[in-house]
Amino acid sequence: MKEKLSQERAPIYEALEEFRKMRVVPFDVPGHKRGRGNPELTALLGERCVGMDVNSMKPLDNLCHPISVIRDAEILAAQAFGAAHAFLMVGGTTSAVQAMVLSVAKRGEKIILPRNVHRSVMCAMVLCGAVPVYVNPECNDDLGIPLGMSVAQVEKAIRENPDAKAIFVNNPTYYGICSDLRSIVKLAHKYGMYCLVDEAHGTHFYFGEGLPVSAMAAGADMAAVSMHKSGGSLTQSSILLTGPTMPEGYVRQIINLTQTTSASYLLLSSLDISRRNLALRGKEAFAQVVRMAEYAREEINNIGGYYAYSRELCNGDSVYDFDVTKLSVNTLPVGLAGIEVYDLLRDEYDIQIEFGDLGNILAYISIGDRPRDIERLVSAMAEVRRRFARARVSLMSQEYIEPEVAVSPQDAFYADKVSLKLEEAEGWICSEFVMCYPPGIPILAPGERITRPIIDYILYAKEKGCSMTGPEDANIERLNVIKACEQ
């Protein structure tokens, strides 16, 4: 009889440890053969690490069709997260988000979503041909950030598009904003739609106390969770969670359309070990994260000028809740764009924060941070204000620009196109992505009309030093537009 699984177990890690003791002679891939063929790589990563970079085999299971240790690890993950099923992902949350979209929508079918979604959502629509129906988020004009989705706006979109297949929700946004997820899930199910949730930045919701509701607890059908962000696993490792409405076998087939057949056991074991750590110690760990974030927020606000915002933004609807672990700070009152503070912290003080946009920065605080690191951040921000602050003039504060969708993302992406200078592209329909990364939210997506405010925003973001990605022209001096859709 099979031993009962416990959250104290880490089946993939345990299998790797047993395999390591066997001293198997490798006549399979990877070709570095436990690091012997690449001594420089071994020196960098260590013998133990490269020795565990192995291929799928019977003792270690296979991610495409798990029946033993990977299967056990997924069962434990589902139990820990309160899901019906869990799928270990080695293509990042990007692949998990794409699997969600591809699981519920086909060509021409609609998904209701906020415009401030990650590029992975739009890329999935390019792949499957789904059509976006945007719920334009409310904005906080002082902070220059989009908020969550209003329940009334979601219901309006549902009534206008009763044939939509799903509603897509961010939980939370990059800045920590949470919509009324429970109400949105109830609305989706009332009208026969799925609710898909991007929880790239919400792993801790499942384990901490006093935090916003998680997707599975709210009754969502699918959720993509970045374990590598706040959960402690290796970069690129993620988990896709599903509720009881989603057929496990079909979702696995969708995942296998795009996920590698050569899954990294370094990533898989990191997911396994991190799940165990959070299941056993997550409550205490995230309580400490909250304490550090709240302390940093108070100290930064005491500096003067900066505004580190929190639950005071909550309005019962478009800001239903706030993730207090997110140290989001508006920098405009000190006369500096967020990206400028981001650059100054890195270049002058050797502090790497998560991102800076035109008006805000985000310092990501997680289970690996220490109180003395928080003190260093606070001290550096005080110095930045003292040394570099200036009058608040000529700073663009509004980040959200309402899109005009003219063509489906798939049709636009694959259409015949021409390249135009950015300044000449006004009125044309874009056939590629433009975004600041991070956070990876498109300023333009395929199928959207290029307007003057969008051109001005791109030029301003470039001037301020934002890292712009997406177009074929890496310098963002030209854009590809649909050839057949002149002004």
Side-chain angles (χ1 to χ4, degrees), residues 413-442:
F413 187 83
Y414 289 110
D416 290 336
K417 59 200 72 172
V418 294
S419 175
L420 296 179
K421 291 182 179 179
L422 179 61
E423 290 280 8
E424 298 172 355
E426 183 178 353
W428 292 68
I429 298 171
C430 193
S431 67
E432 56 188 353
F433 291 94
V434 182
M435 69 204 77
C436 292
Y437 189 85
I441 296 168

Side-chain angles (χ1 to χ4, degrees), residues 218-352:
D221 299 287
M222 305 182 80
V225 180
S226 282
M227 277 288 279
H228 69 93
K229 289 187 170 72
S230 61
S233 65
L234 291 178
T235 296
Q236 199 175 310
S237 59
S238 182
I239 294 179
L240 175 61
L241 303 173
T242 62
T245 59
M246 303 303 302
E248 179 187 7
Y250 180 67
V251 173
R252 180 88 64 190
Q253 285 184 317
I254 294 294
I255 291 171
N256 286 342
L257 290 176
T258 56
Q259 182 154 261
T260 179
T261 56
S262 302
S264 165
Y265 278 87
L266 297 175
L267 298 181
L268 293 174
S269 60
S270 83
L271 283 170
D272 201 20
I273 293 169
S274 298
R275 180 271 315 153
R276 179 176 66 180
N277 179 49
L278 296 184
L280 299 180
R281 295 174 285 274
K283 179 180 174 181
E284 296 79 10
F286 289 122
Q288 171 67 2
V289 172
V290 170
R291 285 193 293 271
M292 288 190 293
E294 295 284 33
Y295 171 79
R297 190 174 289 113
E298 181 181 0
E299 290 297 304
I300 289 170
N301 283 333
N302 286 338
I303 293 171
Y306 299 113
Y307 174 32
Y309 39 95
S310 186
R311 283 192 167 127
E312 71 276 1
L313 298 181
C314 292
N315 58 22
D317 191 17
S318 58
V319 189
Y320 187 78
D321 206 346
F322 186 85
D323 176 11
V324 294
T325 72
K326 297 289 184 293
L327 185 57
S328 302
V329 184
N330 185 256
T331 64
L332 294 181
V334 298
L336 296 170
I339 188 62
E340 292 175 311
V341 175
Y342 171 98
D343 288 338
L344 287 168
L345 287 172
R346 183 194 60 238
D347 298 340
E348 299 286 331
Y349 300 95
D350 295 330
I351 293 175
Q352 181 64 57

Side-chain angles (χ1 to χ4, degrees), residues 1 27 35 60 160 179 190 232 248-249 260 305 312 331 385 424 474:
M1 185 175 177
F27 283 102
L60 299 179
E160 292 174 352
S179 302
K190 176 182 176 181
E248 179 187 7
T260 179
E312 71 276 1
T331 64
R385 179 179 182 269
E424 298 172 355

